[in-house]
Amino acid sequence: MKYLLSAVIVLGLLASAAWAQEAEPATPVDTTAAADTVSIEPPAPVGNLRAYDSDNDHGHAVTIEWELSPDDGAGANSVVAYEVFRWYPDFWDTVQQVRADLVAARQLRASGTLDVEGDPDDYVKELAAEHQEMLSRLPEAHEQYPNNGEFRSLRVVPFGATTFEDQGPKDRLAEDFLPDYCDFYYRVDAVTKVDSIRTPSEIVGPVQSYGQWFNTGRIVVLCFVVIFGLLTIFFVQRARAGAELYVRPIAGIEAVDDAIGRATEMGRPILYVLGLGTAADVATIASFTILSRVAKQVAEYQTQLIVPTYDPIVMSVAQEVVKSAYMDAGRPDDYSEDIVYFVTQSQFAYVAAVNGVMLRERPATNVYMGMFHAESLLLAETGAIAGSIQISGTDQIAQLPFFIVACDYTLIGEELYAASAYLGREPVLLGSLKAQDVAKAAVVIFALIGVIWSTAGSSLFQNLFKVTD
Amino acid sequence: MKRSSVIILSVVLLLFLVSWIWKASVLGADPEETNVWGHAFGITFAAFLTLAILSFLYRDNPFYKFAEHLFVGVSAAFWMVMGFWSTIVGNLVPRVSESLSKFFEVPFDKFAVNYFYFIPVILGILLLFRLSRDGGWISRWPLAFIVGTTAGLNFIRYLRSDFIEQVSSTFVPLLVDWQGFGHFIANLNLSATGQLALTVGNWVIFLGVFCGLVYFFFSKEHTGIFGAASRVGIWILMITFGASFGYTVMGRISLLVGRITFLFKDWLGLIS
Amino acid sequence: MTWLPLVSLTGVGTVISLAVIGGGLLWLLYRSLLAKEVDRRIIFLFIFLSVAAPLLFPITFEEEATPVVKAIFDRIESLPEGSRILISFDFDPAMAPEVQPMAEVVTQHCMVKNHKVIFMCLFATGQALLTQSLDQIMSEQFPDKLDGLDYVNIGFKAGNEGVLNVIVSDFKKMFPTDVNAVPYDSIEVFKGIRSAKDLDMVFTVGGGKPGVKEWVLFVGDPGRVPVAGGVAAVVAPQMYPYYPKQLLGIMGGIKGAAEYESELRKEYPQFEDVDAPGLRMMGPQTLAHMVIMAFIVMGNIAYIVQRRRDGQRKRL
């Protein structure tokens, strides 16, 4: 075994020696050349150096691009890195001194240990004003190039790199703050493994950094926002004008009416759960419309309604909804503030409380509409044990399976929104539902085109959907 | 109170006391333990509450109700206290008032003061008008602000991540790495990264999206070819729900394992 | 040879418990063939037994990392030493048994790779879990790692997605200090980090809202930061559409954690002796799943038998 191992090692060494004879080293860092530093020639400089303000940002960044030195990965293969330099005016050091003083003074002032003559606050304010004034003189100092200043190293990037972003924070008090609207000059050195043997490039400049008003990388998002917005407005206007907008019947919606009738016959209450969503969630908003319809019928039939809520804001809105539904039904006196009440904002504590209501009050019908998380099955299961008719609807995909198995009717995802539009017949809801249908048709068409392009091996169509920041 | 209830209550109380004393004696053996009785009470009480909640599986009972009410009460109070300390004291006070910062002992930086924070303060106070019978309408303004900003913020994010990025993810090649039928047959294998599996996977993605969207198309009755596609859509939805259900079983068992581990390890010391 | 009685005791316990569970199931199958109803409480009892038995008499299984989990492992493995990784504990005690093992195993991996880690949480009730778990891991397994130098705990901040929306452009604005009130600028880990965009990777563990999805929406996509997620099993299927374009990997439920743990043990054998809750929990998981599957089969048998009988009755 030992001999075999030795043989393998020896063979391996021989093979690597043979390979080293034939092949060019992959990188210029080779271990054999430690002694012959004298033989290294200065490499060729980088080509076509360009500097420009970085796109789609808030400023404070300049991008520098170059073409590889002919001696990087080819030619003499001697370039190990590139060092990027920027020209700094001497005035920059004065500004930095004041900045450091200001930062220190602010810290000491915050801890109450700033020991100066006069009011410490005034001292800090004066320093801040001085720093501000100096910053405003920075562009002027940069205009003096090439006098009263020098090139300073920014960063060393490894061989093979062709771009560097000179980026700083917009915080004026940061050490590496990069001011906007100053004339910057850059230089890139091709560096060999002997630091002193290097070749500087041409100097590029002046270039200024500045912020952009619009992020063109997000233009796709803007297009979709505009198209969807216009579609929605168009269909809402049509619905308002009285156009007959067809919505297919949705099984489960009719069940709500029957369930309310059943509760009335049995003389038991109806429990309406709005879920854990906030008032801004679409599912909760859709649920409000359905609640309005349920509350109106409950008021007409004079049945009891129970609405325990999880979110205080949702509670406020639900109270408004139920109150106006009772008014619409012509029974404002039957409305009580206790119909909609707040339980708690802790998920499982809320479930425990609602489960308690189900087992104690024994509602004939439980309606769960809105956003649900882990509590869906806990609620629906308890409701099933209590023998209630259960109708649910949510746009939370993960919770749908539980509702489907434990409830009598379930509105899947968008059916919840559609139900709300179908029941409410409100132009805004109907119009948006129609706009969504058009959008879905568009997605189907996009998917078809995209798949065909992609199968043909082109990513051209896919690139149209690319969002960059 | 019925006699049987009194007996059950006494037995449970007795068991609780025995468990407390026993746990304290076990913890007392550890020289580093400083608060033996308190720690023992905490563990015993937690175990009691766990069992009380689990007793609901048998049937509703006063112990479950006790645990439930305790949970609701404690969590409501906890969130109120958390809301005060993390939002009002944590986010607001250090930005607006030096004296209040001193009072609540939070670091205050005079130069980081931002009076814009008074805008949410005012909106928050307006929200409290909800409690007033006559001024209730005022609370609608901050409500509108909350709904509007959240909707706006989410709209852009969702449109980008959940719509544009997801739509472009659907643009999959239906023939992966296609080099002719002969090549396909010659290199046929069933591995997860093989050409066949990837091709079938892409077809499932494409048809799934297509039929799923058809199911959720509300402007047309589901009849004919449209109805067939919609039925395939609902099958795909149901398969997804099945997978989801399976995952959930795993999740719930994990939670049960967590609770039983607590009972066996921290309370009874059966496992190390 | 002191271990011999222990092994045999465990073995005997396993055999007895399996026999009890299996025998009970056969008895239930017999009853279901007679179309007799099974009380739901019997099912609860069997689930309890199938979870409790493997905890008392451990059964462990080998795990092989699936590509979605391996992707996270490989990314952390391939990042150069000293990379900045953010780990967010976005869960509360109710979710902890399922997701905490993921957070812990990734923490171990980052520490052993000498990455610099920022810990935070978006759940108020998660802060205690985070601090406790961090203290335990650091004191027991990595006593040489220093707070502030190798890792930092910046704790909880109220605001949910709002917090993410701010840190994607400015970290310090949201977290001016860490949990020990050390100012942002004097924390070594934060050197050179202005926003979440400067991070090399984000690993978020959660199951509620805000969770992994919010990290993708508010940090991953707009900031082009690689985000990986460990999620409660319930939400795992919802995360798959984001993989691999928007999420670099997913750990779904305790199985995900177990896979990662076994991958870590394979690469770093020093973790063999460290408790691996994910792998430990796979024993009860497997047995409980088998019992549930048995119940599904039994339920269907009873249903078919019942239907056949009803059919015969109708014909009569």
Side-chain angles (χ1 to χ4, degrees):
Chain A
M1 189 66 199
K2 213 160 74 180
Y3 296 113
L4 188 71
L5 202 65
S6 318
V8 167
I9 291 169
V10 169
L11 274 176
L13 285 172
L14 281 173
S16 57
W19 176 78
Q21 294 280 319
E22 289 165 17
E24 281 282 324
T27 67
V29 193
D30 84 31
T31 48
T32 54
D36 55 5
T37 49
V38 206
S39 66
I40 296 179
E41 291 289 320
V46 300
N48 206 8
L49 183 66
R50 297 195 309 132
Y52 55 87
D53 172 53
S54 298
D55 283 340
N56 300 327
D57 62 0
H58 58 56
H60 312 285
V62 174
T63 305
I64 301 122
E65 274 181 7
W66 59 89
E67 280 167 14
L68 292 182
S69 153
D71 292 325
D72 179 353
N77 200 17
S78 54
V79 175
V80 293
Y82 298 102
E83 189 164 9
V84 185
F85 291 83
R86 185 171 88 207
W87 186 82
Y88 282 84
D90 295 337
F91 180 60
W92 177 255
D93 297 330
T94 324
V95 180
Q96 281 292 11
Q97 189 53 52
V98 176
R99 185 201 65 83
D101 289 350
L102 176 59
V103 171
R106 278 181 60 157
Q107 275 173 359
L108 291 173
R109 174 66 194 92
S111 59
T113 51
L114 183 63
D115 188 19
V116 286
E117 278 175 36
D119 185 5
D121 282 357
D122 286 347
Y123 175 76
V124 176
K125 271 182 202 151
E126 274 167 28
L127 261 183
E130 190 187 344
H131 180 240
Q132 182 62 35
E133 191 265 335
M134 284 182 145
L135 285 178
S136 66
R137 276 164 47 205
L138 263 178
E140 210 179 291
H142 277 84
E143 277 168 20
Q144 293 176 12
Y145 171 85
N147 304 315
N148 305 326
E150 59 176 355
F151 275 95
R152 290 182 195 168
S153 170
L154 292 175
R155 185 80 63 88
V156 177
V157 291
F159 64 92
T162 56
T163 171
F164 171 73
E165 190 173 36
D166 181 16
Q167 191 195 9
K170 63 175 177 181
D171 176 11
R172 289 153 179 243
L173 292 181
E175 201 177 341
D176 50 349
F177 168 65
L178 189 136
D180 277 349
Y181 303 109
C182 288
D183 289 339
F184 292 134
Y185 296 85
Y186 291 93
R187 191 187 86 204
V188 176
D189 286 7
V191 186
T192 62
K193 66 185 171 191
V194 182
D195 198 50
S196 57
I197 303 178
R198 51 168 66 208
T199 313
S201 67
E202 302 270 305
I203 288 158
V204 65
V207 56
Q208 292 191 344
S209 75
Y210 53 90
Q212 280 78 35
W213 276 77
F214 291 101
N215 183 344
T216 51
R218 292 190 194 161
I219 219 134
V220 191
V221 182
L222 179 70
C223 288
F224 277 106
V225 170
V226 170
I227 293 169
F228 285 164
L230 288 177
L231 272 175
T232 312
I233 293 167
F234 171 73
F235 281 108
V236 169
Q237 288 304 331
R238 276 199 63 190
R240 283 212 177 120
E244 195 57 44
L245 297 178
Y246 174 78
V247 175
R248 73 171 162 86
I250 299 158
I253 295 183
E254 278 84 19
V256 175
D257 294 347
D258 299 343
I260 296 171
R262 180 174 175 261
T264 315
E265 280 166 21
M266 294 168 80
R268 291 216 221 132
I270 289 167
L271 177 73
Y272 195 102
V273 182
L274 283 148
L276 301 196
T278 62
D281 289 316
V282 195
T284 318
I285 295 170
S287 184
F288 286 139
T289 318
I290 300 169
L291 173 64
S292 166
R293 160 78 165 225
V294 170
K296 199 172 160 192
Q297 270 185 313
V298 163
E300 279 165 5
Y301 293 162
Q302 291 190 296
T303 316
Q304 198 197 335
L305 180 66
I306 308 170
V307 189
T309 54
Y310 169 83
D311 186 294
I313 299 169
V314 168
M315 179 195 74
S316 312
V317 181
Q319 277 180 341
E320 286 297 324
V321 166
V322 174
K323 199 172 179 178
S324 31
Y326 270 71
M327 302 250 256
D328 289 349
R331 295 188 187 277
D333 297 341
D334 289 349
Y335 173 75
S336 135
E337 286 281 333
D338 299 336
I339 293 177
V340 184
Y341 60 92
F342 172 70
V343 183
T344 169
Q345 270 206 293
S346 170
Q347 187 184 17
F348 290 107
Y350 175 73
V351 177
V354 175
N355 280 354
V357 171
M358 281 183 205
L359 294 174
R360 284 187 281 278
E361 306 281 337
R362 298 251 157 207
T365 305
N366 300 331
V367 185
Y368 314 104
M369 298 277 175
M371 190 123 115
F372 291 86
H373 300 288
E375 68 286 350
S376 59
L377 189 58
L378 297 172
L379 290 171
E381 175 78 359
T382 314
I385 295 171
S388 316
I389 287 230
Q390 306 205 91
I391 300 160
S392 57
T394 183
D395 57 357
Q396 292 294 300
I397 307 157
Q399 307 308 326
L400 280 165
F402 313 122
F403 279 145
I404 286 175
V405 292
C407 294
D408 301 274
Y409 295 96
T410 302
L411 301 176
I412 302 170
E414 223 184 342
E415 283 185 317
L416 174 65
Y417 314 149
S420 140
Y422 183 87
L423 287 177
R425 284 277 151 195
E426 263 190 52
V428 175
L429 290 170
L430 267 182
S432 18
L433 189 71
K434 279 283 161 186
Q436 281 176 47
D437 269 4
V438 175
K440 273 174 250 172
V443 170
V444 168
I445 294 166
F446 286 151
L448 269 172
I449 301 173
V451 159
I452 292 168
W453 273 93
S454 188
T455 309
S458 162
S459 58
L460 200 72
F461 191 70
Q462 197 160 6
N463 288 344
L464 290 179
F465 288 79
K466 208 169 202 165
V467 185
T468 50
D469 274 289
Chain B
M1 209 182 216
K2 276 195 287 183
R3 209 173 128 207
S4 59
S5 308
V6 175
I7 294 171
I8 293 175
L9 196 64
S10 322
V11 170
V12 170
L13 267 177
L14 187 73
L15 283 174
F16 184 86
L17 280 174
V18 169
S19 159
W20 184 11
I21 294 165
W22 167 75
K23 196 72 215 172
S25 69
V26 173
L27 289 175
D30 182 0
E32 281 181 26
E33 182 64 56
T34 47
N35 180 13
V36 172
W37 287 98
H39 193 182
F41 181 81
I43 292 176
T44 314
F45 194 55
F48 164 73
L49 289 179
T50 303
L51 293 174
I53 292 284
L54 285 177
S55 72
F56 185 71
L57 292 175
Y58 185 72
R59 68 164 191 232
D60 196 8
N61 62 69
F63 295 108
Y64 168 73
K65 261 183 221 155
F66 169 74
E68 174 199 320
H69 287 118
L70 187 74
F71 189 27
V72 172
V74 167
S75 63
F78 177 79
W79 283 107
M80 203 175 145
V81 171
M82 258 338 267
F84 180 77
W85 282 99
S86 62
T87 309
I88 295 183
V89 176
N91 287 350
L92 175 72
V93 167
R95 267 120 181 176
V96 293
S97 160
E98 185 167 9
S99 52
L100 277 175
S101 300
K102 265 193 193 136
F103 179 75
F104 288 113
E105 294 176 355
V106 281
F108 176 76
D109 180 359
K110 199 163 188 172
F111 303 95
V113 165
N114 190 343
Y115 290 112
F116 278 118
Y117 277 71
F118 276 114
I119 297 174
V121 171
I122 294 166
L123 290 175
I125 293 168
L126 291 184
L127 208 54
L128 292 175
F129 271 87
R130 178 76 249 162
L131 303 169
S132 145
R133 195 174 287 272
D134 300 325
W137 59 273
I138 297 175
S139 67
R140 287 186 184 182
W141 285 97
L143 217 62
F145 179 81
I146 294 168
V147 173
T149 45
T150 320
L153 190 67
N154 281 347
F155 181 58
I156 301 297
R157 300 284 186 223
Y158 276 74
L159 189 72
R160 181 185 172 171
S161 297
D162 272 12
F163 186 81
I164 298 173
E165 299 268 2
Q166 291 286 309
V167 167
S168 70
S169 297
T170 319
F171 304 160
V172 287
L174 294 179
L175 298 167
V176 179
D177 196 19
W178 192 253
Q179 290 165 30
F181 196 69
H183 180 268
F184 177 72
I185 294 292
N187 294 291
L188 197 65
N189 65 57
L190 292 175
S191 83
T193 50
Q195 196 181 6
L196 178 71
L198 292 175
T199 303
V200 171
N202 285 355
W203 272 95
V204 172
I205 290 178
F206 173 65
L207 288 179
V209 170
F210 184 85
C211 297
L213 280 171
V214 167
Y215 176 78
F216 287 112
F217 200 74
F218 297 102
S219 301
K220 195 177 171 346
E221 194 102 34
H222 286 172
T223 48
I225 298 175
F226 206 71
S230 140
R231 266 195 301 285
V232 175
I234 193 80
W235 289 342
I236 286 176
L237 284 176
M238 291 301 158
I239 292 169
T240 318
F241 295 154
S244 197
F245 213 136
Y247 254 117
T248 307
V249 169
M250 178 166 83
R252 296 293 177 260
I253 299 284
S254 302
L255 298 186
L256 181 64
V257 174
R259 272 305 74 196
I260 296 181
T261 308
F262 166 75
L263 291 178
F264 283 3
K265 191 176 161 187
D266 298 348
W267 184 42
L268 296 175
L270 289 176
I271 47 179
S272 54
Chain C
M1 297 300 265
T2 47
W3 50 269
L4 194 62
L6 270 176
V7 167
S8 56
L9 193 69
T10 309
V12 170
T14 309
V15 169
I16 292 176
S17 46
L18 286 180
V20 169
I21 294 169
L25 286 174
L26 283 175
W27 173 68
L28 288 178
L29 178 65
Y30 171 70
R31 280 178 64 88
S32 62
L33 284 174
L34 298 176
K36 281 188 181 160
E37 231 175 64
V38 177
D39 193 303
R40 53 194 292 116
R41 282 169 280 205
I42 305 258
I43 301 178
F44 296 149
L45 183 72
F46 271 88
I47 298 290
F48 174 80
L49 282 178
S50 60
V51 169
L55 280 177
L56 292 172
F57 313 109
I59 314 172
T60 44
F61 298 93
E62 283 284 315
E63 289 292 337
E64 190 69 38
T66 44
V68 278
V69 175
K70 190 84 167 50
I72 307 176
F73 185 88
D74 290 346
R75 173 59 70 102
I76 293 179
E77 195 63 21
S78 63
L79 281 173
E81 227 172 72
S83 296
R84 317 297 168 88
I85 297 177
L86 185 141
I87 301 182
S88 190
F89 281 51
D90 304 329
F91 53 87
D92 58 10
M95 281 182 255
E98 194 183 0
V99 292
Q100 197 164 348
M102 304 178 200
E104 289 179 352
V105 70
V106 173
T107 304
Q108 288 169 338
H109 192 191
C110 290
M111 283 299 132
V112 81
K113 282 291 295 179
N114 293 324
H115 293 316
K116 307 233 179 265
V117 187
I118 300 156
F119 294 94
M120 61 173 278
C121 61
L122 293 173
F123 274 61
T125 38
Q127 172 141 7
L129 290 169
L130 164 61
T131 311
Q132 203 182 348
S133 142
L134 205 57
D135 287 350
Q136 200 179 349
I137 294 179
M138 294 305 164
S139 63
E140 284 176 10
Q141 298 168 37
F142 304 98
D144 52 330
K145 297 278 177 194
L146 296 174
D147 190 353
L149 199 68
D150 301 301
Y151 66 94
V152 62
N153 177 3
I154 52 175
F156 164 74
K157 200 78 189 173
N160 300 338
E161 301 96 298
V163 175
L164 304 182
N165 207 31
V166 174
I167 64 168
V168 78
S169 56
D170 191 345
F171 230 115
K172 193 174 153 187
K173 199 169 171 184
M174 238 340 134
F175 294 97
T177 64
D178 72 355
V179 280
N180 305 320
V182 180
Y184 185 94
D185 292 320
S186 33
I187 298 168
E188 183 63 29
V189 179
F190 278 122
K191 283 274 144 67
I193 293 186
R194 278 190 292 275
S195 70
K197 286 178 192 166
D198 299 321
L199 295 165
D200 295 300
M201 183 184 156
V202 168
F203 180 72
T204 154
V205 193
K209 197 179 171 193
V212 178
K213 183 171 172 158
E214 281 65 33
W215 276 97
V216 172
L217 257 59
F218 288 86
V219 175
D221 284 349
R224 294 277 165 218
V225 188
V227 176
V231 286
V234 189
V235 284
Q238 275 175 286
M239 291 300 126
Y240 273 82
Y242 298 106
Y243 170 82
K245 207 172 154 192
Q246 292 157 280
L247 257 182
L248 66 91
I250 305 162
M251 271 190 240
I254 204 69
K255 172 96 166 75
E259 286 174 15
Y260 203 100
E261 282 167 0
S262 76
E263 201 62 28
L264 188 69
R265 283 180 169 201
K266 239 183 262 170
E267 203 72 32
Y268 301 95
Q270 66 261 45
F271 287 109
E272 287 285 344
D273 302 327
V274 178
D275 179 38
L279 286 169
R280 184 158 47 78
M281 277 160 96
M282 280 316 281
Q285 279 287 353
T286 312
L287 200 58
H289 273 73
M290 283 161 75
V291 170
I292 290 167
M293 282 193 274
F295 275 119
I296 293 173
V297 171
M298 262 186 266
N300 280 289
I301 290 174
Y303 174 70
I304 292 166
V305 171
Q306 187 76 37
R307 209 169 54 171
R308 196 167 286 172
R309 275 194 200 153
D310 288 351
Q312 280 168 354
R313 222 171 284 154
K314 262 182 207 154
R315 250 176 273 142
L316 286 170

